[in-house]
Amino acid sequence: MALAAVTPFTGSYLILLITQALILGILAMSLDILLGFTGLPSLGQAAYLGMGAYLTAILAAHYDFGLGWSFLVVVVLGILIGAVTAAFFGLFAIRATGVYFLMITLALGMCVWGLAYRWNSMTGAITESIFRHGPNSESSWRTASPTSTWSSVFSSCRW
């Protein structure tokens, strides 16, 4: 809790670093639920986090949606697409156990990665446009402050 009290008053780099650590903590909690409570090791749970992240990036970069007050709508849409994807992939993996479950989850995670990386008509080559060129300065690209991003991620970690 001391870190939570001090973080908003530090520099933007440290805030973004702690925010990324919290996001990875959410991913680790999802693995803990799957492995700790059910005993099923998984290699594909990051695909569901990636589905929500790609949806957010596509909506923000191409449609300027989710950059203002509509951010909460994008969060809900990201959660929903992750849940729908998990439910769909769960149909394939529900009966498998052991090594077979590992292989199915790895294959499904790689399918999501392949779709996100190679399906340029859907993603708009978003991997190249965001990571190589950065946001387009001519568009109405607006980003949230690091403190507001941190507070939204921190509040989701407390659930």
Side-chain angles (χ1 to χ4, degrees):
M1 292 308 274
L3 185 65
V6 173
T7 300
F9 304 108
T10 60
S12 63
Y13 174 74
L14 189 59
I15 292 173
L16 291 175
L17 190 67
I18 292 172
T19 302
Q20 289 176 353
L22 288 174
I23 291 171
L24 291 174
I26 292 171
L27 184 64
M29 286 187 290
S30 72
L31 183 62
D32 180 48
I33 289 172
L34 190 61
L35 183 62
F37 291 122
T38 64
L40 295 171
S42 174
L43 297 175
Q45 79 280 357
Y48 313 124
L49 179 78
M51 291 292 289
Y54 257 93
L55 176 73
T56 302
I58 289 169
L59 288 176
H62 295 291
Y63 303 109
D64 287 335
F65 183 74
L67 299 173
W69 287 103
S70 59
F71 177 71
L72 293 175
V73 175
V74 173
V75 168
V76 171
L77 287 175
I79 291 170
L80 285 176
I81 197 161
V84 167
T85 306
F88 177 71
F89 285 164
L91 295 173
F92 299 109
I94 195 156
R95 302 269 183 216
T97 59
V99 176
Y100 301 108
F101 184 78
L102 272 175
M103 297 308 292
I104 289 172
T105 58
L106 176 64
L108 296 174
M110 293 307 294
C111 287
V112 170
W113 173 83
L115 286 174
Y117 190 73
R118 293 189 181 107
W119 195 4
N120 291 334
S121 63
M122 183 190 70
T123 61
I126 197 164
T127 52
E128 284 97 25
S129 66
I130 288 180
F131 295 124
R132 288 189 187 162
H133 305 295
N136 187 0
S137 59
E138 297 172 3
S139 69
S140 59
W141 183 273
R142 300 167 308 277
T143 57
S145 70
T147 307
S148 64
T149 305
W150 172 82
S151 62
S152 64
V153 171
F154 180 74
S155 66
S156 67
C157 284
R158 292 181 44 199
W159 290 354

